[in-house]
């Protein structure tokens, strides 16, 4: 029995076939066995310059802490008993292959995981030694602010995007003139002011991707957060915008505790003071950025930073 369309499938010339002729059996090459004490070779694609030196110990203040934090989606345990500190004065980068719980951990810090119906949390999270469950959730999200992977400015002017956070936080509706200075300040901290100050009424959605992301950072900063969470903030951006945002993150860390999720190891190495390597929900290794990359304690970390998997 013929199938409808049979004719058209079999008419015409046969599909091209590419044949590769080999004179000998190919040799199977073993993946390199890595010496965990060797420097992380594969991370050094481009010259790696750390843009910052550590801040003095007196500038480093613990702001948040997780204790034996576990997150489940139904039966799937996405974060498996993670304890770590988040400090002002330091950039903390969470690295690891995708699906290992980085975003879930990050979102739990301001209780965004509660928006997912199947998500359940065990263990504790503290902000300045106060259990985050005891902090009113909009207050918590103002103090611990999230910037997402895709820039998500509101469909309004540059000015109104930043003013939004200020208007929302105010008891009485402030006049535009009263908001001008704090809006400009937030744009300045986000490294965007010079590019937009000639026309703050410009529609935010007409900015470039890199500008939109800095606008989202400015919108977060306007509410004076104490902790800034960034989930792969540069993954949709060009190298120049990425560099601008990296410099901004390093600068911000003296005022705001910064946690960044990144799959870009060079980026983590450039900007992070502390690095947590996550694998299948476990925090495999946590430590000083330079040490973790150049002299990891765990074999799994060594393999990952050397580019063996991920
Ligand atoms: N909203 C969700 N509902 C159900 N499972 C999820 C959800 N978000 C993430 N997961 C699962 O949780 C695990 C960790 O995911 P995620 O935190 O997004 O990892 P990463 O950010 O490291 O890529 C994965 O197994 C993922 O499939
Ligand atoms: Mg993620």
């Amino acid at each position: 029995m013929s199938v409808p369309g049979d004719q058209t499938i079999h008419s015409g010339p046969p599909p091209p076939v590419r044949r590769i002729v080999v004179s000998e059996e190919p040799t199977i090459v073993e993946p390199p066995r890595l010496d965990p004490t060797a420097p992380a070779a594969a991370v050094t694609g481009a010259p790696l310059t750390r843009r910052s030196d550590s801040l003095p110990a007196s500038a480093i203040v613990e702001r948040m802490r997780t204790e034996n934090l576990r997150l489940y989606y139904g039966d799937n345990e996405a974060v498996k008993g993670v304890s770590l500190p988040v400090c002002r004065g330091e950039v903390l980068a969470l690295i690891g292959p995708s699906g290992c719980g980085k975003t879930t951990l990050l979102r739990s810090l301001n209780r965004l995981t509660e928006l997912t119906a199947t998500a359940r949390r065990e263990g504790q999270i503290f902000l300045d030694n106060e259990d985050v469950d005891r902090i009113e959730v909009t207050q918590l999200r103002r103090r611990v602010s999230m910037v997402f992977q895709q820039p998500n400015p509101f469909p309004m002017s540059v000015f109104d995007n930043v003013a939004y956070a200020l208007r929302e936080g105010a008891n009485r509706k402030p006049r535009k003139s009263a908001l001008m200075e704090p809006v400009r300040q937030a744009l300045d901290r986000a490294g965007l002011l010079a590019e937009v100050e000639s026309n703050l009424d410009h529609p935010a959605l007409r900015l470039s991707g890199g500008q939109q992301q800095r606008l989202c950072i400015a919108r977060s900063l306007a509410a004076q957060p104490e902790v800034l969470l960034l989930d792969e903030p540069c993954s949709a951006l060009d190298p120049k915008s990425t560099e601008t945002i990296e410099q901004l993150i390093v600068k911000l860390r003296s005022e705001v505790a910064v946690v960044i999720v990144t799959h870009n190891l060079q980026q983590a190495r450039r900007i992070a003071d502390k690095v947590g390597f996550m694998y299948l929900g476990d925090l495999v290794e946590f430590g000083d950025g330079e040490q973790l990359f150049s002299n990891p304690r765990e074999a799994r970390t060594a393999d990952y930073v050397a580019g063996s998997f991920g």
Side-chain angles (χ1 to χ4, degrees), residues 103 231-232 261:
T103 294
D231 193 359
E232 309 217 17
V261 167

Side-chain angles (χ1 to χ4, degrees), residues 72-74 76-79 96-105 107 116 118-119 231-232 261 278 281:
Y72 302 84
Y73 295 103
N76 175 20
E77 190 175 8
V79 173
S98 79
C100 280
K102 304 179 300 295
T103 294
T104 302
L105 171 57
R107 288 167 62 90
T116 305
T118 56
D231 193 359
E232 309 217 17
V261 167
M278 292 195 67

